[in-house]
Amino acid sequence: MSWMRSLGCVFVLSYCYLVLQTDAQITDPSEVAALKSVKKNLVDPMKHLSSWERGDPCASNWTGIFCFDTYATDGYLHVRELQLLKMNLSGHLTPELGQLSRLIILDFMWNELDGTIPKEIGNISSLQLLLLNGNKLSGFLPDELGYLSKLDRLQVDMNYISGPIPASFANLSSVKHLHMNNNSIRGQIPPELSKLSTLRHLLLDNNNLSGYLPPEFSDLPELRILQLDNNKFIGSGIPDTYGNLSKLAKLSLRNCSLQGSIPGLSSIQNLLYLDLSKNELNGPLPPTLFDNITTIDLSDNHLNGSIPRSFSNLPSLQRLDLRNNSLSSILGEVNLPENVTLRLGGNPICHDANIPNITQFCEPEAGGDKTPERLTNSKVSCYVQSCPTDDFFEYVASSPVHCFCAAPLRIGYRLKSPSFSYFTPHVNQFEKYVTRSLNMNSYQLSIDSFFWEEGPRLRMYLKLFPPVNNVHSTMYNATEVQRIRDIFASWQFPPNDFFGPYELLNFTLLGPYGQSMYCCYFFQAKMKFQILS
Ligand SMILES: *[C@@H]1O[C@H](CO)[C@@H](O)[C@H](O)[C@H]1NC(C)=O
Ligand SMILES: *[C@@H]1O[C@H](CO)[C@@H](O)[C@H](O)[C@H]1NC(C)=O
Ligand SMILES: *[C@@H]1O[C@H](CO)[C@@H](O)[C@H](O)[C@H]1NC(C)=O
Ligand SMILES: *[C@@H]1O[C@H](CO)[C@@H](O)[C@H](O)[C@H]1NC(C)=O
Ligand SMILES: *[C@@H]1O[C@H](CO)[C@@H](O)[C@H](O)[C@H]1NC(C)=O
Ligand SMILES: *[C@@H]1O[C@H](CO)[C@@H](O)[C@H](O)[C@H]1NC(C)=O
Ligand SMILES: *[C@@H]1O[C@H](CO)[C@@H](O)[C@H](O)[C@H]1NC(C)=O
Ligand SMILES: *[C@@H]1O[C@H](CO)[C@@H](O)[C@H](O)[C@H]1NC(C)=O
Ligand SMILES: *[C@@H]1O[C@H](CO)[C@@H](O)[C@H](O)[C@H]1NC(C)=O
Ligand SMILES: *[C@@H]1O[C@H](CO)[C@@H](O)[C@H](O)[C@H]1NC(C)=O
Ligand SMILES: *[C@@H]1O[C@H](CO)[C@@H](O)[C@H](O)[C@H]1NC(C)=O
Ligand SMILES: *[C@@H]1O[C@H](CO)[C@@H](O)[C@H](O)[C@H]1NC(C)=O
């Protein structure tokens, strides 16, 4: 009997312990204070943060707060993630955020925050994802952000940030993604950034940058995407050294006021996308480019000479735009496959009567540089009306079981810097990429619609359906919803240069997923994850 008594004791003790813990502080008190300050400085018209008024952040399921699930040696739970994507929040970011000293993800994407980025964020040495894009933040980027030595991803694009890029960013020794496009960032790009040995994507398009392109960037061993369109590097050229960026997949320098000639790019074996249009470049076209290139846009420059023979047998080519240059001849024939868009208008070559069929490629502008591609899926027709007639359930188009009815998860998604010009030939490849990353079957994903936006960027609306299996579930369970959201919101997709980086625009839980048990914000126990890309 004595073992039972001691077991009972243990039960009683652990019960007491739990009760005590509930009464006492569970989350680190300085973090609780910081979160209260976060809320105080926000305007929350939809009352998304009403749960922040009761109990303890980690114990009482505060919306958007995810904690480590074990107590730290200091006896407290600590906040691991603050995820407040698209919640109609305005107001500003409190300097107290710096107190969340073990935070890994700070996510305020797609709200309406104004004010500046607090320099105190630079004190969160554990931070891996800093996601502030799609707000109305202004002011300068604080030098202190350069202290974030574990930062993997900085997204501050689509704000009103001004001032220069701090040279201290050279100390972001783990950073892979710097997305700062669509702001008013000005001045010289610091050459010191060439120390960023892990940097893969640098997006600074649509800013007010000036000065020169740092030749030192050829030292960036992992650089895949360099996108700087719509800046003013007046009088400067494309450094010759860029031919040494051996892993580069996309070079986009449209409308950058660049002069001089195009450097040799023939050693960039994986170059997929080259846009140097709307500059003042002169000299000849690059003599060779590698096989995998999909897009060459050199329109609106002062390029002269001839179109090299090698351009007519690039097997992956989708678009070759050479309009408005001074090209006078073509070596070889104009017999590109039909699915290649070739534009030559505005070159002397168009007046050469000796080249058969040239005129069809010489038509004036005629809105030709917008891709009309767009897709909207039609509904599946089923005789058996076993699907609720609300907007939340539908028949799964490519399900292996005919007329399988289920409620999809709906995800607003955008490819921010794709390395192709036409999506239709790659839809299958894309579906495989996404579903494999999510550990799903490809029929579970449906691209509800997609269309091209300025950039070019490719916006889409994805639907994810539960699998057809012996459980016969027409919905995802709550654990699955959380798992899927986690993968999207922490960028766990394997890197892919062809599709490039993506943006998560919304992850909306509607209809049957709207119940609180589904609302992913209410879970504490989350899977451990690694940030891969
Ligand atoms: C927090 O959420 C979990 C999972 O939904 C639930 O079991 C628990 O009762 C909630 N706790 C509080 C205090 O609301
Ligand atoms: C919330 O934001 C959406 C767009 O993001 C907007 O259409 C809506 O009016 C906003 N609602 C409120 C109450 O601000
Ligand atoms: C950052 O932390 C250090 C020490 O932990 C402290 O001295 C400093 O004031 C903090 N800086 C900011 C900007 O909060
Ligand atoms: C990087 O950090 C070191 C020491 O932490 C500092 O001395 C240096 O100035 C920083 N680099 C830049 C470019 O700010
Ligand atoms: C970025 O800025 C450009 C130029 O102002 C604009 O055309 C484009 O739509 C913006 N991009 C986004 C994603 O808003
Ligand atoms: C760029 O700077 C110029 C002059 O300094 C200013 O007029 C313009 O509005 C700025 N553009 C952006 C996008 O910030
Ligand atoms: C490329 O790198 C090699 C070796 O590192 C160097 O010899 C060469 O000059 C570089 N080429 C350019 C164009 O910078
Ligand atoms: C072209 O793409 C294919 C398939 O993605 C790849 O196997 C090949 O290595 C690439 N070629 C070059 C020269 O990079
Ligand atoms: C163009 O069409 C050919 C054959 O129809 C196909 O093999 C090729 O992959 C297509 N190219 C692109 C870039 O879509
Ligand atoms: C020129 O176009 C005509 C009709 O479009 C086609 O039959 C002919 O093969 C073309 N010639 C060349 C050399 O491409
Ligand atoms: C989510 O994003 C998609 C695609 O951009 C859009 O069509 C849809 O209206 C968005 N939903 C919400 C609730 O914002
Ligand atoms: C949720 O669904 C997944 C995948 O279908 C399954 O493995 C898991 O056991 C389910 N969890 C619960 C709590 O039902």
Side-chain angles (χ1 to χ4, degrees):
M1 276 314 191
S2 69
W3 64 271
M4 272 186 97
R5 203 172 301 128
S6 58
L7 199 63
C9 256
V10 171
F11 274 134
V12 169
L13 276 177
S14 65
Y15 180 72
C16 289
Y17 178 73
L18 273 179
V19 169
L20 280 175
Q21 279 289 330
T22 310
D23 285 350
Q25 205 78 47
I26 291 176
T27 306
D28 180 316
S30 65
E31 297 186 15
V32 178
L35 291 172
K36 288 189 169 150
S37 170
V38 168
K39 182 166 191 309
K40 213 172 125 205
N41 285 281
L42 293 175
V43 180
D44 175 21
M46 316 290 275
K47 302 256 178 289
H48 284 300
L49 306 187
S50 55
S51 59
W52 290 31
E53 275 145 28
R54 56 175 152 71
D56 177 273
C58 294
S60 314
N61 297 342
W62 285 18
T63 299
I65 307 289
F66 300 100
C67 299
F68 288 97
D69 49 16
T70 52
Y71 286 87
T73 48
D74 61 11
Y76 293 119
L77 287 179
H78 292 267
V79 178
R80 196 182 68 193
E81 299 174 21
L82 187 52
Q83 295 222 20
L84 301 171
L85 165 79
K86 202 166 172 106
M87 289 193 178
N88 283 77
L89 302 171
S90 55
H92 58 268
L93 295 171
T94 175
E96 303 269 316
L97 281 166
Q99 299 297 313
L100 300 172
S101 59
R102 310 202 183 185
L103 202 65
I104 290 178
I105 301 181
L106 180 60
D107 176 354
F108 278 98
M109 297 189 292
W110 314 117
N111 285 291
E112 286 152 47
L113 304 176
D114 54 25
T116 58
I117 300 175
K119 63 179 189 313
E120 289 75 7
I121 290 178
N123 258 15
I124 312 176
S125 55
S126 51
L127 202 62
Q128 293 179 25
L129 308 185
L130 177 54
L131 312 170
L132 302 174
N133 49 299
N135 281 286
K136 296 174 178 166
L137 298 167
S138 57
F140 289 18
L141 291 165
D143 288 346
E144 287 80 355
L145 296 184
Y147 298 145
L148 298 171
S149 62
K150 297 204 174 133
L151 198 69
D152 176 277
R153 180 178 286 267
L154 173 69
Q155 294 187 174
V156 295
D157 46 293
M158 299 182 70
N159 279 289
Y160 304 126
I161 291 166
S162 57
I165 302 169
S168 66
F169 279 19
N171 278 336
L172 294 170
S173 53
S174 309
V175 83
K176 297 198 184 90
H177 305 274
L178 286 175
H179 298 179
M180 303 188 271
N181 54 282
N182 288 69
N183 281 291
S184 298
I185 299 173
R186 63 170 170 74
Q188 170 66 44
I189 303 176
E192 290 87 344
L193 298 190
S194 63
K195 275 178 31 191
L196 297 174
S197 60
T198 52
L199 186 66
R200 297 176 70 99
H201 298 168
L202 179 60
L203 309 186
L204 278 166
D205 50 286
N206 298 297
N207 277 295
N208 236 345
L209 296 166
S210 59
Y212 59 93
L213 300 179
E216 296 86 345
F217 275 14
S218 62
D219 295 341
L220 290 166
E222 293 299 327
L223 192 66
R224 315 301 169 100
I225 296 180
L226 181 60
Q227 180 155 356
L228 303 174
D229 318 60
N230 299 321
N231 283 292
K232 293 189 196 73
F233 306 103
I234 294 168
S236 99
I238 306 171
D240 284 345
T241 55
Y242 285 15
N244 266 4
L245 282 164
S246 60
K247 292 191 179 162
L248 201 66
K250 177 165 183 170
L251 180 62
S252 198
L253 302 172
R254 182 183 179 82
N255 192 22
C256 282
S257 309
L258 293 166
Q259 296 180 354
S261 56
I262 302 176
L265 301 170
S266 61
S267 50
I268 311 183
Q269 304 217 343
N270 201 35
L271 192 63
L272 302 170
Y273 194 105
L274 177 67
D275 186 347
L276 306 176
S277 62
K278 293 200 169 186
N279 284 294
E280 289 153 41
L281 299 169
N282 53 35
L285 299 179
T288 47
L289 287 166
F290 265 89
D291 278 4
N292 285 355
I293 200 145
T294 69
T295 303
I296 305 171
D297 189 345
L298 303 174
S299 60
D300 299 292
N301 279 292
H302 311 304
L303 300 166
N304 56 24
S306 52
I307 301 172
R309 202 177 295 273
S310 60
F311 276 38
S312 57
N313 53 12
L314 293 167
S316 304
L317 194 63
Q318 298 183 336
R319 189 163 65 87
L320 174 57
D321 192 341
L322 301 172
R323 276 174 299 172
N324 304 320
N325 279 292
S326 305
L327 302 165
S328 54
S329 63
I330 185 159
L331 304 176
E333 285 170 41
V334 194
N335 59 352
L336 291 162
E338 271 191 14
N339 50 9
V340 176
T341 305
L342 170 64
R343 295 187 187 279
L344 297 172
N347 282 287
I349 194 178
C350 286
H351 306 297
D352 187 340
N354 294 325
I355 307 171
N357 291 0
I358 189 84
T359 52
Q360 61 179 301
F361 305 111
C362 290
E363 258 126 64
E365 308 291 310
D369 58 351
K370 278 284 157 300
T371 54
E373 259 193 330
R374 161 183 279 279
L375 170 144
T376 312
N377 266 344
S378 52
K379 293 241 180 311
V380 190
S381 63
C382 285
Y383 296 114
V384 196
Q385 292 304 311
S386 58
C387 219
T389 51
D390 58 28
D391 287 335
F392 308 118
F393 284 84
E394 56 191 81
Y395 294 110
V396 186
S398 36
S399 155
V401 173
H402 190 52
C403 290
F404 173 54
C405 163
L409 291 175
R410 294 153 198 270
I411 299 164
Y413 183 95
R414 180 160 56 191
L415 296 177
K416 217 173 199 173
S417 183
S419 288
F420 52 84
S421 289
Y422 298 113
F423 186 48
T424 317
H426 305 291
V427 168
N428 280 337
Q429 188 190 345
F430 175 78
E431 288 175 343
K432 285 207 183 86
Y433 168 62
V434 171
T435 51
R436 263 194 217 130
S437 309
L438 295 168
N439 196 14
M440 291 182 184
N441 301 298
S442 38
Y443 70 81
Q444 291 180 255
L445 169 66
S446 153
I447 301 175
D448 190 67
S449 57
F450 72 78
F451 59 95
W452 288 95
E453 294 182 337
E454 271 311 308
R457 294 176 158 79
L458 187 64
R459 180 190 276 246
M460 35 184 135
Y461 198 23
L462 308 179
K463 288 180 178 170
L464 290 170
F465 293 94
V468 177
N469 56 26
N470 48 16
V471 183
H472 297 299
S473 178
T474 58
M475 284 175 69
Y476 284 111
N477 65 29
T479 335
E480 273 294 281
V481 172
Q482 184 59 45
R483 183 186 76 85
I484 294 164
R485 190 185 188 282
D486 250 13
I487 294 176
F488 277 98
S490 56
W491 277 270
Q492 292 173 67
F493 286 81
N496 183 306
D497 298 331
F498 191 74
F499 298 117
Y502 71 84
E503 322 186 65
L504 181 59
L505 300 176
N506 61 50
F507 191 104
T508 316
L509 295 172
L510 295 172
Y513 294 112
Q515 309 157 34
S516 69
M517 67 172 294
Y518 274 98
C519 181
C520 47
Y521 305 119
F522 292 91
F523 294 103
Q524 291 180 65
K526 295 214 328 171
M527 286 162 211
K528 298 270 177 288
F529 65 84
Q530 258 190 316
I531 292 159
L532 290 168
S533 66

